[in-house]
């Protein structure tokens, strides 16, 4: 009898672990490499959204690796070495052009309806210009990345200063822009500031408004600095310097000095992305009256008011992942409904879907710009297309914008 009981006991001990293991399926582990640092507001928001997703899907575990902008250097070697990375994010141009060969084609996924798309296909609730932009970067016209955190590159300005200067309407032409600068200068405030990070955009955009970004890129890559349009654009900005419309601090402003100068109310305008409010919120404070308007058109120019640099960050899925449907479902969770709003709120950014009723108050003016977007401009209007030349252009644009050299001297320096 004792022997029978012992056998039964041993059988029970052996049975229990296998029975227990059969009741709990192994979790699906998804590895995500993030372009954010964990301390950044965007990183915190995305992390919270993913934690919420895992709470709703207990069969899924997402491992987040915060890489920061180092992902631009580290992702491709990791993928080439066969490291398990199921999805990642970065600028939509970079993900599509640089990492498209590793990515899953998403055209079929965006035609489906999801829980948070209000009965519409996913592609019908996302800003169309960004989906089109993503496709334009791919060699086969397909979509390889999903946009989020949209941005446009335009003038950030202080509405309070504009109001005090009596400017009732944002400028749309170069003459209106100059008139606005004159009124602001009369208050004793520099109309325009910048810093070394993207000051090239002042000249790059101006040249592009005259003859388009293909022209700008041709000037830079082929060294066509003698073109009369380049001199004309440089002279326009030389005049702005001579009229006292540019902050005297521009000569020594190192990133991020220019944007903080704007945030402190020490200058009225700064040409940069819609990420600026988030970047300087601690300096500006919640009550700063942010405004935004496109770079003005120029007389005789080929390009319109809404031709500009725009884009977004984006999520991209590894074509070799075991869990493509689950990851796309997670991306829908991140880019629609509650979490599209929350990511925008927490990082003073913009929502990407029409399922969001929220629009960041600091970026209210941009709501009317996205539906009107025209030609896509490369960053800084294309003037930085030749990275070997960029430092030389940057040094001389700073000299031009601070009155250290004339337009003719700028051309001469660029021809050396």
């Amino acid at each position: 009898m004792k022997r029978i009981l012992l056998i039964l006991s041993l059988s029970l001990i052996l049975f229990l672990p296998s029975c227990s293991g059969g009741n709990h399926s192994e979790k699906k582990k998804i590895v995500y490499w993030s372009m954010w640092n964990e301390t950044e507001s965007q990183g915190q928001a995305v992390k919270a959204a993913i934690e919420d997703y895992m709470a709703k899907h207990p069969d899924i575990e997402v491992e987040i690796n915060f890489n920061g902008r180092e992902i631009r250097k580290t992702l491709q070697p990791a993928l080439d070495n066969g490291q398990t990375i199921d999805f990642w994010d970065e600028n939509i141009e970079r993900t599509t052009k640089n990492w498209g060969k590793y990515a899953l084609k998403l055209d079929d996924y965006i035609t489906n309806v999801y829980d948070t798309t209000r009965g519409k296909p996913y592609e019908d609730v996302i800003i169309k210009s960004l989906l089109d932009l993503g496709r334009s970067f791919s060699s086969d016209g397909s979509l390889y990345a999903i946009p989020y955190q949209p941005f446009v590159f335009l003038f950030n300005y202080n509405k309070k200063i504009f109001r005090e200067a009596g400017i009732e309407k944002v400028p749309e032409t170069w003459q209106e822009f100059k008139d606005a600068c004159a009124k602001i200068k009369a208050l004793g405030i520099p109309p325009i500031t910048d810093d070394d990070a993207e000051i090239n955009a002042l000249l790059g955009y101006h040249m592009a408004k005259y003859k388009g970004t293909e022209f700008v890129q041709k000037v830079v890559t082929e060294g066509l600095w003698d073109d009369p349009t380049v001199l004309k654009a440089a002279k326009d900005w030389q005049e702005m310097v001579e009229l006292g419309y540019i902050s005297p601090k521009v000569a020594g402003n190192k990133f991020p000095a220019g944007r903080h100068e704007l945030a402190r109310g020490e200058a009225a305008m700064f040409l940069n992305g819609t990420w600026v409010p988030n970047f300087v919120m601690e300096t500006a404070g919640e009550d700063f009256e942010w405004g935004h308007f496109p770079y003005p058109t120029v007389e005789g120019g080929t390009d319109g008011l809404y031709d500009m640099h725009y884009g977004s960050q984006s999520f991209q899925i590894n074509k070799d992942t075991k869990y493509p449907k689950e990851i796309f479902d997670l991306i829908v969770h991140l880019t629609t409904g509650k979490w599209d709003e929350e990511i925008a709120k927490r990082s003073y950014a913009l929502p990407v879907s029409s399922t969001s009723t929220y629009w960041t108050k600091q970026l209210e003016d941009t709501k009317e710009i996205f539906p009107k977007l025209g030609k896509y401009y490369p960053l800084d209007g294309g003037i930085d297309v030749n990275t070997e030349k960029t430092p030389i252009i940057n040094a001389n644009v700073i000299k031009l914008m601070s009155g250290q050299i004339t337009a003719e001297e700028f051309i001469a320096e660029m021809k050396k």
Side-chain angles (χ1 to χ4, degrees):
M1 183 68 179
K2 287 182 178 178
R3 187 174 179 180
I4 294 170
L5 287 172
L6 179 62
I7 292 170
L8 287 171
S9 298
L10 287 171
S11 299
L12 184 61
I13 290 167
L14 291 170
F15 172 74
L16 283 173
S18 63
C19 181
S20 173
N23 287 336
H24 296 280
S25 59
E26 187 177 336
K27 284 192 174 186
K28 299 172 183 176
K29 184 176 180 182
I30 293 169
V31 178
Y32 160 50
W33 272 30
S34 173
M35 66 172 288
W36 307 112
N37 295 300
E38 189 170 6
T39 54
E40 289 181 285
S41 56
Q42 295 94 332
Q44 288 291 307
V46 170
K47 181 182 178 182
I50 289 175
E51 288 173 347
D52 179 59
Y53 185 82
M54 287 192 291
K56 293 173 179 174
H57 299 82
D59 62 321
I60 292 176
E61 176 188 351
V62 182
E63 177 189 302
I64 307 175
N65 293 283
F66 290 101
N67 284 261
R69 278 14 136 240
E70 284 297 304
I71 197 171
R72 298 170 186 175
K73 301 175 184 176
T74 59
L75 180 65
Q76 185 166 335
L79 291 170
D80 287 340
N81 288 330
Q83 189 168 338
T84 299
I85 308 169
D86 294 290
F87 79 111
W88 52 85
D89 58 352
E90 238 290 349
N91 178 282
I92 195 167
E93 183 171 6
R94 186 172 288 107
T95 55
T96 305
K97 288 183 175 179
N98 294 2
W99 306 321
K101 66 180 180 180
Y102 306 98
L104 182 70
K105 190 181 293 189
L106 301 171
D107 299 79
D108 291 340
Y109 290 85
I110 65 172
T111 59
N112 296 329
V113 175
Y114 298 86
D115 290 344
T116 53
T117 59
R118 297 180 180 172
K120 297 179 179 180
Y122 180 77
E123 64 182 341
D124 289 348
V125 301
I126 298 298
I127 294 175
K128 184 179 183 299
S129 58
L130 296 177
L131 293 174
D132 291 342
L133 183 65
R135 290 188 181 98
S136 75
F137 292 138
S138 68
S139 58
D140 62 359
S142 295
L143 189 69
Y144 290 92
I146 295 298
Y148 81 105
Q149 283 223 316
F151 63 79
V152 283
F153 197 96
L154 70 185
F155 274 106
N156 296 259
Y157 77 96
N158 186 322
K159 284 188 173 181
K160 181 181 178 185
I161 292 176
F162 268 50
R163 187 169 59 249
E164 291 173 351
I167 302 167
E168 297 178 356
K169 172 184 169 292
V170 293
E172 295 185 357
T173 67
W174 189 246
Q175 186 57 55
E176 290 173 355
F177 185 65
K178 287 169 63 177
D179 293 344
C181 287
K183 292 178 180 179
I184 294 165
K185 185 191 174 188
L187 296 177
I189 299 170
I192 304 160
T193 189
D194 218 303
D195 53 43
D196 66 333
E198 278 154 7
I199 194 170
N200 291 4
L202 291 174
L203 184 61
Y205 259 54
H206 207 67
M207 290 166 61
K209 291 294 180 177
Y210 272 120
K211 292 184 72 171
T213 60
E214 288 185 5
F215 164 75
V216 178
Q217 294 175 84
K218 192 171 183 180
V219 167
V220 175
T221 55
E222 299 181 20
L224 306 179
W225 297 101
D226 272 332
D227 190 289
T229 301
V230 181
L231 180 61
K232 183 171 179 56
K235 276 185 169 294
D236 285 348
W237 274 109
Q238 179 184 333
E239 181 187 23
M240 298 292 277
V241 175
E242 292 169 350
L243 290 169
Y245 294 163
I246 300 180
S247 168
K249 294 182 180 179
V250 160
N253 271 354
K254 300 294 182 185
F255 171 85
R259 52 210 79 196
H260 284 288
E261 193 178 349
L262 172 73
R264 289 191 298 268
E266 296 170 1
M269 292 177 275
F270 179 60
L271 181 64
N272 214 274
T274 45
W275 52 77
V276 168
N278 178 52
F279 195 98
V280 297
M281 190 54 64
E282 195 171 312
T283 302
E286 289 284 345
D287 295 332
F288 189 98
E289 296 181 54
W290 290 96
H292 296 87
F293 65 88
Y295 195 98
T297 58
V298 297
E299 187 175 354
T302 61
D303 282 11
L305 186 63
Y306 293 98
D307 297 333
M308 63 180 75
H309 179 60
Y310 62 92
S312 69
Q313 311 310 335
S314 65
F315 292 111
Q316 194 165 52
I317 302 174
N318 192 328
K319 61 181 173 59
D320 296 325
T321 184
K322 296 178 186 176
Y323 310 114
K325 291 181 180 179
E326 290 85 350
I327 296 170
F328 195 84
D329 190 59
L330 170 56
I331 291 172
V332 173
H333 174 80
L334 288 160
T335 56
T336 57
K338 173 187 174 181
W339 285 106
D340 183 32
E341 289 190 7
E342 280 297 314
I343 291 171
K345 282 180 182 178
R346 297 186 189 199
S347 55
Y348 298 99
L350 296 171
V352 72
S353 78
S354 61
T355 64
S356 173
T357 57
Y358 172 82
W359 201 271
T360 308
K361 74 171 185 177
Q362 287 82 6
L363 302 172
E364 279 181 1
D365 291 351
T366 64
K367 194 169 189 177
E368 303 303 317
I369 291 174
F370 276 94
K372 300 175 183 177
L373 287 172
K375 294 179 191 174
Y376 170 77
Y377 276 17
L379 185 63
D380 295 349
I383 200 170
D384 292 328
V385 67
N386 185 343
T387 54
E388 290 183 7
K389 272 283 188 183
T390 296
I392 300 166
I393 296 170
N394 186 249
N396 286 291
V397 168
I398 290 171
K399 289 178 182 178
L400 176 66
M401 299 300 171
S402 57
Q404 298 175 58
I405 58 175
T406 64
E408 288 84 1
E409 289 168 335
F410 171 82
I411 301 297
E413 287 295 319
M414 294 313 306
K415 287 167 60 180
K416 286 183 179 178

